[in-house]
């Protein structure tokens, strides 16, 4: 092969990394969805829902999809009461509804597909965080993420623990934003992602607050405290 015929973008070292990341993203999405979707994106009825929790979360997504609000439970799961207040965090229902409207895919298919996309993107964000410390470790560890869909680890998707996946995605984004405090107006990104974590799944929000406290305690103990960082986050 004549090296001069190779496109310039493939001659760069970073190009191989981009191809690798695209491959891992596609592989994760395939592993996440292929069993649940039976090799199809669109179905005539809900496919891949294997627990009551799955249908419970889906019913709240339908509530947003059909009525535009997440405040009250659907009457068919609240014994006919029209003003029964829901305790479900709203983010996953609104994101799924928006995704279904934009893509034209049925809501029950959109719910699982969007979850798979967020898992794959979240994995790549973790890669970027590790890469800032050691690129080789990041590359070697990335394929291990495939074990998320191996046997018992796959049960979270099958049994409908979608809130945990959405909350974890925004928590990962929040941790990445904490590592980018030197960016201009980074406090907007930090605040947005932390708020999204709270509205997606409160337990992950608790972990995020714990991380902030541990982060500044560490800085204080080792006398690495930077008041500009505190200002960017809280002010």
């Amino acid at each position: 092969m004549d090296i001069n015929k190779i496109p310039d973008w493939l001659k760069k070292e970073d190009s191989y990394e981009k191809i690798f990341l695209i491959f891992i993203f596609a592989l994760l999405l395939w592993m996440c969805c292929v069993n649940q979707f039976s090799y199809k994106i669109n179905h005539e009825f809900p496919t891949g829902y294997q627990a009551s929790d799955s249908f419970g979360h889906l019913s709240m997504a339908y509530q947003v999809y059909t009525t535009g609000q997440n405040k009250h439970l659907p009457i068919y799961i609240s014994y006919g009461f029209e003003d029964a207040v829901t305790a479900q965090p709203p983010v996953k229902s609104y994101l799924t509804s928006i995704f279904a409207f934009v893509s034209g895919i049925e809501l029950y298919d959109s719910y699982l597909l969007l979850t798979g996309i967020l898992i794959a993107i979240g994995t790549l964000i973790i890669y970027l965080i590790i890469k800032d410390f050691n690129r080789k470790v990041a590359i070697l560890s990335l394929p291990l993420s495939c074990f998320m869909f191996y046997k018992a680890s796959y049960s979270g998707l099958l049994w409908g623990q979608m809130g945990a996946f959405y909350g974890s995605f925004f928590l990962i984004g929040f941790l990445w934003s904490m590592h980018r405090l030197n960016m201009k107006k980074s406090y907007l990104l930090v605040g947005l992602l932390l708020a999204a974590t709270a509205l997606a799944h409160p337990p992950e929000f608790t972990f995020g607050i714990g991380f902030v406290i541990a982060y500044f305690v560490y800085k204080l103990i080792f006398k690495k405290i930077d008041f500009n960082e505190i200002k960017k986050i809280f002010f």
Side-chain angles (χ1 to χ4, degrees):
M1 178 183 292
D2 187 356
I3 192 172
N4 294 322
K5 295 182 179 180
I6 299 177
D8 292 337
W9 65 275
L10 276 178
K11 296 178 183 179
K12 299 179 181 179
E13 183 179 354
D14 290 343
S15 299
Y16 296 104
E17 180 183 8
K18 293 175 182 177
I19 295 174
F20 174 66
L21 294 179
I22 292 173
F23 171 76
I24 292 295
F25 177 85
L27 179 62
L28 289 173
L29 190 58
W30 181 82
M31 294 183 68
C32 175
C33 299
V34 66
N35 288 328
Q36 291 179 292
F37 277 8
S38 301
Y39 301 94
K40 296 189 297 183
I41 292 180
N42 288 306
H43 302 84
E44 297 180 356
F45 50 85
T47 302
Y49 292 82
Q50 301 188 20
S52 59
D53 283 356
S54 302
F55 287 99
H57 294 310
L58 180 62
S59 66
M60 290 308 307
Y62 265 110
Q63 178 77 337
V64 173
Y65 189 74
T66 56
T67 68
Q69 60 89 20
N70 186 70
K71 183 178 179 180
H72 298 115
L73 289 169
I75 59 174
Y76 51 84
I77 60 173
S78 62
Y79 296 97
F81 293 102
E82 297 182 357
D83 56 352
V85 178
T86 179
Q88 289 290 332
V91 166
K92 60 181 181 296
S93 297
Y94 280 99
L95 286 182
T96 303
S97 298
I98 293 171
F99 185 82
F101 272 118
V102 172
S103 66
I105 300 173
E106 291 289 347
L107 186 70
Y108 47 78
D109 288 328
S110 295
Y111 202 18
L112 297 180
L113 179 59
L114 180 58
T115 301
I117 292 173
L118 294 183
I119 291 174
I121 294 176
T123 302
L124 297 185
I125 295 175
I126 293 177
Y127 167 82
L128 294 177
I129 295 174
I130 300 175
K131 179 184 174 183
D132 287 339
F133 297 95
N134 191 306
R135 184 171 182 243
K136 293 181 180 179
V137 171
I139 293 176
L140 291 174
S141 61
L142 186 57
L144 298 177
S145 59
C146 295
F147 284 102
M148 289 189 296
F149 310 113
Y150 180 73
K151 290 187 176 181
S153 301
Y154 198 46
S155 62
L157 280 170
L158 299 177
W159 296 346
Q161 302 301 317
M162 304 308 181
F165 289 111
Y166 280 72
S168 297
F169 169 76
F170 288 110
L171 176 62
I172 292 169
F174 167 72
L175 296 179
W176 177 84
S177 68
M178 287 290 295
H179 196 54
R180 292 290 186 274
L181 292 176
N182 58 339
M183 293 192 309
K184 187 177 181 181
K185 295 184 178 181
S186 59
Y187 61 90
L188 294 176
L189 184 61
V190 171
L192 179 63
L193 289 172
L194 187 59
T197 304
L199 294 174
H201 204 231
E204 280 73 25
F205 171 76
T206 304
F207 281 113
I209 294 298
F211 173 82
V212 172
I213 295 173
Y215 176 78
F216 284 109
V217 167
Y218 169 83
K219 291 275 191 176
L220 186 61
I221 292 176
F222 291 94
K223 298 181 179 180
K224 297 180 179 180
I225 194 69
D226 186 350
F227 289 99
N228 288 327
E229 291 184 349
I230 299 177
K231 183 179 178 181
K232 288 180 179 179
I233 294 178
F234 297 104
F235 303 100

